[in-house]
Amino acid sequence: MSAADILDLGKIPSKVNPELQSERNCSSLTPYISEITAIVDGGRNNTEKRRQIERILFKDPLFRDCAIDSVYKPRDEMYARGVERSVRLFALKEEYNWTDEEFGIAVNVINHQYSLGLHNVMFIPALERLSTEQQKAKWLHLARNYQIIGTYAQTELGHGTNLQGLETIATYDATTEEFILNTPTVTSIKWWPGALGKSVNYAIILATLIIDGKKHGMHPFLTPLRSTKDHKPLPGVKVGDIGPKLTFNIVDNGYLILNNVRIPRENMLMKNAQVSREGHFTSRGPSKANYSAMILVRVTIVNWCSVILSNSSTITVRYSAVRRQSTLDSSSEKESKILDYQTQQYKVFPSLATAYALFFVSKTLKNRYLKTYAEIIKGNFKNLPEIHCQSAGMKAMSGEMTAELLEISRQACGGHGYLAASALGDAVASAKALVTVEGENTVLYLQVARYLMKRFAAAVSGERLSGSTEYLCMDPMKYTCPINSPEDCMNVSLLCQVYRFRAYRMISKAARMLQRDIEGGKKQHKAMNDNLVQLVRAARAHLLYCMVVDYKEGMNQLQISVPVSKALNNLLVFFTVFNIVKNAGDFLETESIGLPQMEWLKETEVKMLAEIRPDAVSLVDAFDIHDNTHGSVLGCYDGNVYERMLKSTQNEPLNQCDVHYSFHQHLKPFLQRNNTSKL
Amino acid sequence: MSAADILDLGKIPSKVNPELQSERNCSSLTPYISEITAIVDGGRNNTEKRRQIERILFKDPLFRDCAIDSVYKPRDEMYARGVERSVRLFALKEEYNWTDEEFGIAVNVINHQYSLGLHNVMFIPALERLSTEQQKAKWLHLARNYQIIGTYAQTELGHGTNLQGLETIATYDATTEEFILNTPTVTSIKWWPGALGKSVNYAIILATLIIDGKKHGMHPFLTPLRSTKDHKPLPGVKVGDIGPKLTFNIVDNGYLILNNVRIPRENMLMKNAQVSREGHFTSRGPSKANYSAMILVRVTIVNWCSVILSNSSTITVRYSAVRRQSTLDSSSEKESKILDYQTQQYKVFPSLATAYALFFVSKTLKNRYLKTYAEIIKGNFKNLPEIHCQSAGMKAMSGEMTAELLEISRQACGGHGYLAASALGDAVASAKALVTVEGENTVLYLQVARYLMKRFAAAVSGERLSGSTEYLCMDPMKYTCPINSPEDCMNVSLLCQVYRFRAYRMISKAARMLQRDIEGGKKQHKAMNDNLVQLVRAARAHLLYCMVVDYKEGMNQLQISVPVSKALNNLLVFFTVFNIVKNAGDFLETESIGLPQMEWLKETEVKMLAEIRPDAVSLVDAFDIHDNTHGSVLGCYDGNVYERMLKSTQNEPLNQCDVHYSFHQHLKPFLQRNNTSKL
């Protein structure tokens, strides 16, 4: 196909690129792909359901280029498009009577490229959670029918992690039975809430309640911000967009300044605390239901990480199977596929393996959450700290891994991975957000570490532990490294013991360091701060152990055919070995393994690269991600990479005319200023 | 200052934020800042020269917001602005008679935010290097006077690293004494050259020369692409922009399709090879001067990495000294500065230390390059392989470090580091480009590794080595770890020995693995590929050793006051220890250190964080980077972070009116579709 066919006629070859076809022909896993797809979707029915949603969405041009078109648009148009998509999506939800789960699938299919997500994801659930029955009756149907559109406003310009630090205030005025809301300082301005800037007309605002000059803690206030008629900001409300971010610019994250904004007493959401007409305050304390919502979001993020890595692996593996560069064998005429270079495999396969790992990990975590949640609603809070620690930690660990691995695999696509049309840069930026949102990672690691310190102290004092920290009761003197041959490095059960011992030693070391500092006269908080780095290391070690166990156990529960089992097991072994080698210092330092083991593990690691290689394309095909969902010119099913790259240039605004106006305005006068000669 | 003052009047407090002022008041390094600034600038005169250039540039509104304004503009306007800036910059260069070096300072001052950089950086130097005297006489003054504007076009859609793979052809037609240029396939389309898309009217095109059906290798052809009158593409030329990238969108990186484009015989740049009128080909082989240009670019990148990290450290350290979040000591009323958390220091100080490290490393490398270059022009090529290896390796290592550390320090700024207005995202994206441009990092590491394998074989065969690989002659049996106490961990000379031994062992291991595989019957190329991962590890170990040595020696040459020496030495020790801990597995595995040493090193590492803490703000103030250069709301000298964030929202296009047009178009009809009630 010629360049002119592509540029002038917009053609793309209809055939699959032979480079990719040969991969599919040669992989013994190819006939079993649909089996893996069903696992990832959670059953063949779900696969069919997802594909049906894809068909519905992608017959609409509004959704067809969703993953990529925004990079060519100015912010203004991008946002307008996002609003249009939101409205269309809500209408489809009604038309097809999608469940919340199906709606979630639709959102994944369009790669979250719409503006008003917060309404369904935060506003409605918060209304449900925080309102009295009477309030629900008044507000919920309005929200569900999109007669009001809302968000949840907590974070402020100067305050994020530490809720106690929030400065927005709601002062009760008993004479009018109203609350008066104010953001009295620059640092108190609400900052970040999604859809706050231009879209919503209501927000649930977290503010400190003040009655008669006395503070009564933080409470939620349902506050109208814009007229439901003309959408103009209401008196006392200043609201706007906070400006562009690394990505998600389709969403209008906003700021909000409140200047004596009055709302009726009934607009305080009073499920957990009440203010009477006379200004009498009563409270049941914060609801445990609030915790469980936060935990669920974090559990969901672990799954989201898996989805992000599945997307990006699909792109990088396919591209690596198409791209040829230099030769491995100098006697060869043809350049080599970059996927055949060991170094390329070492950049691309960790993402692939981690995509599968986090799929199984998130599934196990979700089940554990549901079990604990069922206990909680029966009033049994025993396992709340455990699931809190698990969800916080897994969110942090998987967010960190995802951001890091994704960037490595983006780099593995060289210059072309630097193009917006590769969709990899945007994926990296999305992954990076996961490091910060819903609990900043370091803060979460330290929450896990504090939990571990408590559990360790309990173990030392003879308490019997259960759950993920059960192993802290172990007798470290009884440990001997279970890896006694290179073959043992393929045995994930043995490797789990190694992970466990490393975690134990890292945790006991942190506890020892803390104790030493306190016994040496440091105050508790000073001792804590002087050991934060080691505490984070201990938390990571614990979480990586949990992750490997959950991955292994998630896999064990599958009923699968032999070829699928073999291929997935290769990834499991690789993931397990890779993360030991990556953290080699810790494993050696804690004497969980010795030098010969480390050498065997490194050999196993590169051996597994070679094992995975023939099935790599099948393993990403199995994710069955629609081309429109990943939106990458490098990652399409047909592998026509170069043709799609060339075609993508048609979308670039600079290419809409041959000569850009800046030539006439700036360049021409300059070039010709001395031009006496004729060229 | 109230929100209204900021938003409605555009005010920012005139006083320095007390949080930052107290840092400056308390650091004993404050009185010595100008001494460090002079070191970084290369003398007090240079500081004055830079500041003068800053004054010239920043009195012009066109340059004042250069670092940040483009994030608010659509691509089209961004590019136009970049062209306008280019033209203004070239005019200033003439007006003030700036040397190339001064022009380089100006470019750094405006953070490279202009479009036509390739003309000076690539086009003119290539013309100088590749042309005959006659050609120089004809073309150079046209280029220097900007009567023609050009770029250098080498990379193709399907070909990057491997020059031999390029497909563009130039066929000689003796009847008309012309070359006929063609990009015959989609993969042969030129792709990536900066300023190619819309700006330039000339390009030096790398193409395979064909005479009478016979190929004669790759040569440069000076080719007019657009009319110098109306800038329209010439017949047979299709040229355009390749679309948005992760950053640098002010530059129109372009594609180029050539369809029987004829140029006169004289337009082949014939310094190194000639084609006579009759089509007779003669060649002197590739010029060594070509190599030295490539080497110089890589040397420059190492310095650029230091500049990037200086910028970002300025931002992250100042922000961390202003931001307060949670409390270290729960008895304290006030929230703590995040810079006081050990974990925050562990994210921010590695960037700071590496900024200084790479400053010294690049200085030493530059001097070594100049020395070798002086030899080369005298016809002595002995040290060419060594400087080639050093520059390739240091470029790879510093690019990798910079991209990684910068992202960590961006994350250390939490959500606000995710805003475009923080300027950190853009800095990360720029750093990422350095991993790929001018030699893809893995390719470069493997070049270093191959060089090391050769040198190691030479050492084994008894040859005496010099330069960076001298140590390969060591007797490993004689090594004992020189670290015998915690205090020894502060002694960088001793630590250098540790680094050296680790490098030796990693290199000898790679050599052993290769030999084993070849003796086991694998072909050379297969053995090579099966050990690429270890070869890269060996190269990194060598380069990190070289880096630490160069850093130490660069520091030793300074004549500085005691407080400055102490502060800079803290950074040197931290950098050295940090990179051992980061690569702990290697150091333990090679038995360069043992377990007690590792424990001491980790203690030294966190001890150094506490040592650096009081001087952190002074150490970034010393970079003396103009607020307009880094362009970050988080990093300004006055520390008025929140006020600047709020003010920055005025630039956001979405905020130009209260109600966005998408409300009327999309949202209103939807919200009101069921609206029978009145809200």
Side-chain angles (χ1 to χ4, degrees):
Chain A
M1 183 160 288
S2 77
D5 283 342
I6 299 165
L7 280 181
D8 302 339
L9 307 175
K11 282 192 186 171
I12 290 292
S14 55
K15 269 179 61 181
V16 169
N17 186 324
E19 302 286 12
L20 218 42
Q21 193 56 55
S22 71
E23 296 283 336
R24 290 175 182 135
N25 295 345
C26 296
S27 162
S28 58
L29 194 63
T30 304
Y32 302 90
I33 284 179
S34 66
E35 195 183 325
I36 307 180
T37 305
I39 295 169
V40 174
D41 280 318
R44 287 189 194 272
N45 284 346
N46 286 357
T47 299
E48 192 31 54
K49 196 188 287 174
R50 171 179 53 77
R51 287 182 180 163
Q52 200 188 338
I53 291 172
E54 285 170 357
R55 281 189 295 271
I56 292 167
L57 288 166
F58 292 140
K59 78 180 172 204
D60 188 337
L62 189 61
F63 295 112
R64 216 170 287 147
D65 300 325
C66 57
I68 197 69
D69 72 335
S70 66
V71 306
Y72 301 103
K73 290 198 162 53
R75 178 84 204 277
D76 214 26
E77 287 176 38
M78 194 192 303
Y79 167 70
R81 190 98 167 158
V83 173
E84 191 180 1
R85 281 205 204 112
S86 308
V87 164
R88 192 78 55 89
L89 201 59
F90 296 151
L92 287 173
K93 183 176 192 291
E94 287 183 356
E95 184 183 340
Y96 290 95
N97 213 4
W98 283 337
T99 62
D100 283 349
E101 197 197 347
E102 286 163 335
F103 185 74
I105 293 172
V107 167
N108 271 340
V109 163
I110 64 161
N111 208 359
H112 300 253
Q113 294 302 308
Y114 73 122
S115 304
L116 303 178
L118 270 284
H119 180 78
N120 285 309
V121 174
M122 289 285 280
F123 183 64
I124 292 179
L127 268 184
E128 286 170 342
R129 217 167 52 233
L130 304 169
S131 304
T132 62
E133 290 307 313
Q134 208 181 349
Q135 288 175 320
K136 280 189 204 174
K138 178 168 180 191
W139 296 108
L140 262 180
H141 82 276
L142 292 174
R144 286 188 182 139
N145 287 330
Y146 307 101
Q147 288 175 263
I148 63 173
I149 186 112
T151 189
Y152 182 85
Q154 178 176 300
T155 310
E156 298 173 357
L157 197 38
H159 310 279
T161 303
N162 182 31
L163 283 190
Q164 279 71 46
L166 295 177
E167 294 178 79
T168 302
I169 50 173
T171 312
Y172 187 60
D173 179 353
T175 60
T176 59
E177 296 184 21
E178 288 173 320
F179 294 102
I180 312 166
L181 274 76
N182 275 294
T183 51
T185 59
V186 171
T187 44
S188 73
I189 294 170
K190 292 292 178 190
W191 189 271
W192 273 115
L196 173 65
K198 310 304 286 185
S199 305
V200 302
N201 47 27
Y202 272 75
I204 296 171
I205 289 169
L206 268 280
T208 299
L209 170 64
I210 300 181
I211 307 175
D212 291 335
K214 193 178 164 217
K215 289 185 180 179
H216 291 278
M218 207 67 72
H219 300 280
F221 297 86
L222 180 65
T223 310
L225 301 179
R226 288 175 180 269
S227 150
T228 49
K229 294 197 181 53
D230 62 11
H231 211 58
K232 290 221 170 104
L234 296 171
V237 171
K238 254 189 199 279
V239 70
D241 186 276
I242 60 171
K245 297 138 293 186
L246 302 202
T247 186
F248 299 120
N249 288 315
I250 206 161
V251 178
D252 54 318
N253 298 73
Y255 69 81
L256 172 64
I257 301 167
L258 297 167
N259 186 11
N260 290 323
V261 172
R262 288 178 168 262
I263 58 171
R265 186 182 63 91
E266 296 79 11
N267 279 32
M268 172 172 154
L269 300 180
M270 298 213 195
K271 179 157 181 197
N272 302 317
Q274 299 77 34
V275 175
S276 70
R277 292 185 178 192
E278 301 76 24
H280 183 65
F281 176 78
T282 48
S283 167
R284 297 178 210 161
S287 159
K288 304 272 183 184
N290 289 359
Y291 280 104
S292 78
M294 189 175 69
I295 291 168
L296 181 58
V297 172
R298 290 174 183 169
V299 171
T300 309
I301 288 178
V302 181
N303 177 261
W304 198 7
C305 287
S306 164
V307 171
I308 290 177
L309 286 173
S310 307
N311 264 295
S312 64
S313 302
T314 300
I315 300 166
T316 53
V317 168
R318 285 180 182 161
Y319 176 66
S320 301
V322 169
R323 177 78 169 179
R324 289 179 177 270
Q325 197 69 18
S326 303
T327 49
L328 279 162
D329 176 0
S330 56
S331 70
S332 148
E333 269 289 285
K334 212 170 176 181
E335 291 185 297
S336 305
K337 286 189 176 192
I338 58 175
L339 193 55
D340 285 326
Y341 291 85
Q342 192 187 58
T343 34
Q344 183 75 1
Q345 295 163 7
Y346 202 56
K347 291 179 194 173
V348 171
F349 293 168
S351 278
L352 174 62
T354 307
Y356 278 96
L358 295 182
F359 167 76
F360 289 107
V361 168
S362 73
K363 206 172 135 184
T364 308
L365 185 63
K366 178 83 177 277
N367 289 335
R368 202 174 289 142
Y369 162 77
L370 291 173
K371 203 173 142 228
T372 311
Y373 184 67
E375 294 167 7
I376 288 174
I377 52 175
K378 284 185 204 147
N380 172 1
F381 300 109
K382 184 174 67 87
N383 289 317
L384 183 61
E386 169 78 10
I387 193 71
H388 181 271
C389 164
Q390 283 281 305
S391 62
M394 287 300 181
K395 179 269 176 186
M397 196 84 209
S398 52
E400 179 182 334
M401 279 182 166
T402 302
E404 192 182 317
L405 292 172
L406 218 160
E407 172 56 20
I408 291 168
S409 54
R410 190 201 63 70
Q411 286 178 15
C413 296
H416 295 346
Y418 201 78
L419 285 172
S422 76
L424 288 167
D426 208 60
V428 173
S430 306
K432 282 175 182 177
L434 300 181
V435 171
T436 306
V437 296
E438 299 298 336
E440 197 276 330
N441 270 11
T442 304
V443 173
L444 296 183
Y445 282 132
L446 290 172
Q447 287 178 2
V448 172
R450 283 190 203 96
Y451 176 73
L452 293 172
M453 290 301 105
K454 279 187 206 155
R455 299 279 75 200
F456 186 75
V460 168
S461 71
E463 197 179 313
R464 272 196 69 169
L465 306 181
S466 63
S468 70
T469 57
E470 191 183 353
Y471 69 98
L472 294 179
C473 301
M474 75 161 70
D475 177 359
M477 303 304 286
K478 286 191 181 151
Y479 177 82
T480 52
C481 177
I483 308 295
N484 295 308
S485 71
E487 291 68 41
D488 284 349
C489 297
M490 309 275 290
N491 185 329
V492 177
S493 295
L494 297 181
L495 295 174
C496 281
Q497 295 177 35
V498 171
Y499 273 94
R500 187 170 56 204
F501 188 67
R502 172 225 185 193
Y504 178 88
R505 289 286 298 268
M506 301 288 288
I507 293 165
S508 63
K509 185 180 175 189
R512 213 168 47 244
M513 287 165 70
L514 274 175
Q515 202 182 0
R516 180 197 62 186
D517 283 358
I518 290 167
E519 287 172 3
K522 282 188 193 170
K523 286 191 176 162
Q524 165 80 22
H525 72 85
K526 173 81 175 128
M528 202 70 188
N529 193 36
D530 287 351
N531 291 294
L532 289 184
V533 169
Q534 177 62 24
L535 284 163
V536 169
R537 287 187 182 126
R540 280 206 184 98
H542 169 73
L543 292 163
L544 205 51
Y545 161 62
C546 296
M547 208 174 247
V548 172
V549 170
D550 286 356
Y551 184 9
K552 180 174 72 82
E553 292 185 356
M555 284 260 304
N556 285 349
Q557 286 162 14
L558 299 176
Q559 307 237 315
I560 41 178
S561 61
V562 174
V564 168
S565 167
K566 188 169 164 294
L568 294 187
N569 193 60
N570 283 340
L571 293 175
L572 170 64
V573 172
F574 176 70
F575 177 86
T576 310
V577 173
F578 173 82
N579 281 297
I580 296 179
V581 174
K582 187 166 187 287
N583 297 284
D586 276 8
F587 283 90
L588 290 171
E589 209 183 325
T590 55
E591 298 178 274
S592 312
I593 55 169
L595 296 183
Q597 283 81 8
M598 188 46 84
E599 187 137 357
W600 298 336
L601 284 161
K602 282 190 171 172
E603 286 182 9
T604 307
E605 189 183 34
V606 292
K607 201 172 111 189
M608 295 318 295
L609 293 175
E611 291 287 323
I612 295 165
R613 167 66 187 90
D615 296 329
V617 168
S618 296
L619 282 164
V620 301
D621 283 352
F623 293 131
D624 196 33
I625 295 163
H626 198 289
D627 285 351
N628 294 349
T629 296
H630 64 65
S632 168
V633 290
L634 304 184
C636 286
Y637 184 82
D638 68 14
N640 291 312
V641 167
Y642 299 116
E643 293 81 0
R644 285 179 193 278
M645 285 178 75
L646 188 59
K647 192 181 170 194
S648 76
T649 62
Q650 293 178 312
N651 301 322
E652 167 56 48
L654 285 181
N655 293 338
Q656 301 318 309
C657 60
D658 267 346
V659 179
H660 191 256
Y661 68 83
S662 63
F663 170 76
H664 300 289
Q665 236 173 321
H666 306 299
L667 199 53
K668 189 177 178 182
F670 183 72
L671 296 183
Q672 300 188 345
R673 106 216 110 110
N674 301 323
N675 201 350
T676 49
S677 75
K678 269 179 194 152
L679 279 166
Chain B
M1 183 159 288
S2 79
D5 283 342
I6 298 165
L7 279 181
D8 302 340
L9 307 176
K11 282 193 186 169
I12 290 292
S14 54
K15 269 179 60 179
V16 170
N17 187 324
E19 301 286 12
L20 220 42
Q21 193 56 55
S22 70
E23 296 283 335
R24 290 177 182 133
N25 296 346
C26 297
S27 163
S28 58
L29 193 64
T30 303
Y32 303 90
I33 283 179
S34 66
E35 194 183 327
I36 307 181
T37 305
I39 295 170
V40 174
D41 279 318
R44 287 190 194 271
N45 284 346
N46 285 357
T47 299
E48 192 32 53
K49 197 188 287 173
R50 172 178 54 76
R51 287 182 181 162
Q52 199 189 339
I53 292 172
E54 286 170 356
R55 281 190 294 271
I56 292 168
L57 288 166
F58 292 140
K59 78 179 172 205
D60 188 337
L62 189 61
F63 294 112
R64 214 169 289 147
D65 301 324
C66 58
I68 197 69
D69 73 334
S70 66
V71 306
Y72 301 103
K73 290 197 162 52
R75 179 81 204 278
D76 214 23
E77 287 176 39
M78 193 191 304
Y79 167 70
R81 190 99 167 156
V83 172
E84 190 180 359
R85 281 206 204 111
S86 308
V87 164
R88 193 78 55 90
L89 201 60
F90 297 151
L92 288 172
K93 183 176 191 290
E94 286 184 356
E95 183 183 340
Y96 290 95
N97 213 1
W98 284 337
T99 63
D100 283 350
E101 197 196 348
E102 286 163 333
F103 185 74
I105 293 172
V107 167
N108 271 341
V109 163
I110 64 159
N111 208 358
H112 299 254
Q113 293 302 308
Y114 72 124
S115 303
L116 302 178
L118 270 284
H119 181 78
N120 285 311
V121 174
M122 289 286 279
F123 183 63
I124 292 179
L127 268 185
E128 285 169 343
R129 215 166 55 232
L130 303 168
S131 305
T132 61
E133 291 307 315
Q134 207 182 349
Q135 289 175 320
K136 280 189 204 171
K138 177 166 180 191
W139 297 108
L140 262 181
H141 81 275
L142 292 173
R144 285 188 183 140
N145 288 330
Y146 306 101
Q147 289 174 263
I148 62 173
I149 186 110
T151 189
Y152 182 85
Q154 177 177 300
T155 310
E156 298 173 357
L157 197 37
H159 310 279
T161 303
N162 182 31
L163 283 191
Q164 280 71 45
L166 295 178
E167 294 179 78
T168 302
I169 49 173
T171 312
Y172 187 61
D173 179 351
T175 59
T176 59
E177 295 184 19
E178 288 173 319
F179 294 103
I180 312 167
L181 274 76
N182 275 293
T183 50
T185 59
V186 170
T187 44
S188 72
I189 294 170
K190 292 292 178 190
W191 190 272
W192 273 115
L196 173 65
K198 310 305 287 184
S199 305
V200 302
N201 48 26
Y202 271 74
I204 297 171
I205 289 170
L206 267 279
T208 299
L209 171 64
I210 299 181
I211 306 174
D212 290 335
K214 193 179 163 217
K215 290 184 179 178
H216 291 277
M218 207 68 72
H219 300 279
F221 297 86
L222 180 65
T223 309
L225 300 180
R226 288 174 179 268
S227 151
T228 48
K229 295 198 178 54
D230 61 13
H231 210 58
K232 290 219 171 104
L234 296 171
V237 170
K238 253 187 201 279
V239 69
D241 186 276
I242 60 172
K245 296 139 291 185
L246 302 203
T247 186
F248 298 120
N249 287 315
I250 205 162
V251 178
D252 54 319
N253 297 74
Y255 69 81
L256 172 65
I257 300 167
L258 297 167
N259 187 11
N260 290 321
V261 172
R262 288 179 167 262
I263 57 170
R265 187 183 63 92
E266 295 79 12
N267 279 32
M268 173 172 153
L269 299 181
M270 297 214 196
K271 179 158 183 197
N272 302 317
Q274 300 77 34
V275 174
S276 71
R277 291 186 178 190
E278 301 76 24
H280 184 65
F281 175 78
T282 48
S283 167
R284 298 178 209 161
S287 157
K288 304 273 184 184
N290 288 357
Y291 280 104
S292 77
M294 189 174 70
I295 291 168
L296 180 58
V297 171
R298 289 173 184 168
V299 171
T300 309
I301 287 178
V302 180
N303 177 261
W304 198 5
C305 287
S306 163
V307 172
I308 291 177
L309 286 173
S310 307
N311 264 296
S312 63
S313 302
T314 301
I315 300 166
T316 53
V317 168
R318 286 180 182 161
Y319 176 66
S320 301
V322 168
R323 176 79 169 179
R324 289 180 177 269
Q325 196 70 19
S326 302
T327 48
L328 279 162
D329 178 359
S330 56
S331 69
S332 148
E333 269 289 286
K334 210 170 178 183
E335 291 186 296
S336 306
K337 285 190 176 190
I338 59 174
L339 192 55
D340 285 326
Y341 290 85
Q342 192 187 58
T343 35
Q344 183 75 0
Q345 294 163 7
Y346 202 57
K347 291 179 194 175
V348 171
F349 294 167
S351 278
L352 174 63
T354 307
Y356 277 96
L358 295 182
F359 167 76
F360 288 107
V361 167
S362 74
K363 205 172 137 186
T364 308
L365 184 63
K366 178 83 176 277
N367 289 336
R368 203 174 289 142
Y369 162 77
L370 291 173
K371 203 173 142 229
T372 311
Y373 185 65
E375 296 167 7
I376 288 175
I377 52 175
K378 284 186 203 145
N380 172 2
F381 300 109
K382 187 173 66 90
N383 289 318
L384 183 60
E386 169 78 9
I387 192 72
H388 182 270
C389 164
Q390 283 281 305
S391 62
M394 287 299 180
K395 178 268 176 186
M397 196 83 208
S398 52
E400 180 182 332
M401 279 182 167
T402 303
E404 194 182 316
L405 292 173
L406 218 161
E407 172 57 21
I408 292 167
S409 52
R410 190 200 63 69
Q411 286 179 15
C413 296
H416 295 345
Y418 200 76
L419 285 172
S422 76
L424 288 167
D426 208 59
V428 172
S430 306
K432 283 176 181 178
L434 300 182
V435 171
T436 305
V437 297
E438 299 298 335
E440 196 276 330
N441 269 12
T442 304
V443 173
L444 296 183
Y445 283 132
L446 290 172
Q447 286 177 4
V448 172
R450 282 191 204 95
Y451 176 74
L452 293 172
M453 291 301 103
K454 277 187 206 154
R455 300 278 75 200
F456 186 76
V460 168
S461 71
E463 196 178 312
R464 271 195 70 168
L465 306 181
S466 63
S468 70
T469 57
E470 190 182 354
Y471 70 96
L472 295 179
C473 300
M474 76 160 71
D475 178 358
M477 304 304 286
K478 287 190 183 151
Y479 177 82
T480 51
C481 178
I483 309 295
N484 295 309
S485 71
E487 291 68 40
D488 285 348
C489 297
M490 310 275 291
N491 185 328
V492 177
S493 296
L494 297 181
L495 295 175
C496 280
Q497 296 176 34
V498 171
Y499 273 94
R500 186 170 56 205
F501 188 69
R502 172 225 185 191
Y504 178 88
R505 289 286 299 266
M506 300 289 287
I507 292 165
S508 64
K509 185 180 175 189
R512 212 167 48 243
M513 287 165 71
L514 274 175
Q515 201 181 0
R516 179 197 63 184
D517 283 359
I518 290 167
E519 287 173 2
K522 282 187 193 171
K523 286 191 177 163
Q524 165 80 22
H525 71 85
K526 173 81 175 130
M528 202 70 188
N529 193 35
D530 287 352
N531 291 293
L532 289 183
V533 169
Q534 177 63 24
L535 284 163
V536 169
R537 286 187 183 127
R540 280 207 184 96
H542 170 73
L543 292 163
L544 206 51
Y545 162 61
C546 296
M547 208 174 245
V548 172
V549 170
D550 286 355
Y551 183 9
K552 178 175 72 81
E553 293 185 356
M555 284 260 304
N556 284 349
Q557 285 162 15
L558 298 177
Q559 308 238 313
I560 41 179
S561 61
V562 174
V564 168
S565 168
K566 188 169 166 292
L568 295 187
N569 193 59
N570 283 340
L571 293 175
L572 170 64
V573 173
F574 176 69
F575 177 87
T576 310
V577 173
F578 174 81
N579 281 297
I580 297 180
V581 174
K582 187 165 187 286
N583 296 284
D586 276 9
F587 282 90
L588 290 171
E589 210 183 324
T590 55
E591 298 178 274
S592 313
I593 54 169
L595 297 183
Q597 282 81 9
M598 188 46 82
E599 188 139 353
W600 297 335
L601 284 160
K602 283 190 170 173
E603 286 182 10
T604 307
E605 189 183 34
V606 293
K607 203 173 109 188
M608 295 318 294
L609 294 176
E611 291 288 324
I612 294 166
R613 167 66 189 89
D615 295 330
V617 168
S618 296
L619 282 164
V620 301
D621 282 351
F623 293 132
D624 195 33
I625 295 164
H626 198 289
D627 285 350
N628 294 350
T629 296
H630 64 65
S632 168
V633 290
L634 305 183
C636 286
Y637 185 82
D638 68 14
N640 291 313
V641 167
Y642 299 116
E643 291 81 0
R644 285 179 192 278
M645 285 179 75
L646 187 59
K647 191 182 171 195
S648 77
T649 63
Q650 293 178 311
N651 301 321
E652 166 56 47
L654 285 181
N655 292 338
Q656 301 319 310
C657 60
D658 267 346
V659 179
H660 192 255
Y661 68 83
S662 63
F663 170 75
H664 301 289
Q665 237 174 322
H666 306 300
L667 199 53
K668 188 177 178 184
F670 183 73
L671 296 184
Q672 301 188 344
R673 108 217 108 110
N674 301 323
N675 202 349
T676 49
S677 75
K678 269 183 198 150
L679 280 166

